[in-house]
Amino acid sequence: MAVADSKASALAHLPSAHFNANAAWLTLWAMTYNLLRATGAQASAFHARATTATIRTHLVHVPARIARSARRITLHLPHNWPWQHAWTHLFSTAHGPAD
C-alpha cells in the first residue's frame, strides 16, 4: 500500500533528468509521508489506516473560516462536518491542555 500511495503523490514526479530534483522530491515525499501517517494515527482509527490522500482531504484541507477578535484567532469549522471529531481530537492532542 505504501508504494501505491507514494506513486500517487510526490514520487509521481520521478525520475527527473536532474539528480538534485530527484533528491529533493524524495526528501519532501519522505517528510510528508511520515508527518501525514503520524497525523492520521493521532486523529482516529479510521485515519490511521487511510491513505495519505485521504488524510490530506479530510484533515489538512479544512473548510474553515478564520476570525480575529480581541487579539485572539478563532477557527470556525462547518456544522455537521464529518471529520470534525477527528480534527478536534488531533488539534487538542497537538496543543495539549490550555493554560
Side-chain angles (χ1 to χ4, degrees), residues 22-38:
N22 289 337
W25 278 115
L26 189 60
T27 302
L28 290 172
W29 166 79
M31 291 188 313
T32 305
Y33 183 81
N34 288 328
L35 285 172
L36 284 173
R37 298 309 308 162

Side-chain angles (χ1 to χ4, degrees), residues 17-89:
H18 304 284
F19 177 79
N20 290 335
N22 289 337
W25 278 115
L26 189 60
T27 302
L28 290 172
W29 166 79
M31 291 188 313
T32 305
Y33 183 81
N34 288 328
L35 285 172
L36 284 173
R37 298 309 308 162
T39 299
Q42 289 292 322
S44 68
F46 169 76
H47 290 103
R49 295 183 309 275
T51 63
T52 55
T54 302
I55 296 170
R56 276 194 308 270
T57 303
H58 292 183
L59 301 176
V60 177
H61 299 260
V62 178
R65 182 176 57 88
I66 299 173
R68 295 176 190 238
S69 175
R71 298 185 186 180
R72 296 184 64 109
I73 295 175
T74 305
L75 190 64
H76 296 280
L77 297 172
H79 295 291
N80 300 324
W81 182 43
W83 303 286
Q84 183 174 4
H85 180 68
W87 192 88
T88 54
H89 180 264

Side-chain angles (χ1 to χ4, degrees), residues 1-9 11 29 33 37 50-52:
M1 180 169 120
V3 173
D5 193 22
S6 304
K7 288 181 181 179
S9 62
L11 293 187
W29 166 79
Y33 183 81
R37 298 309 308 162
T51 63
T52 55

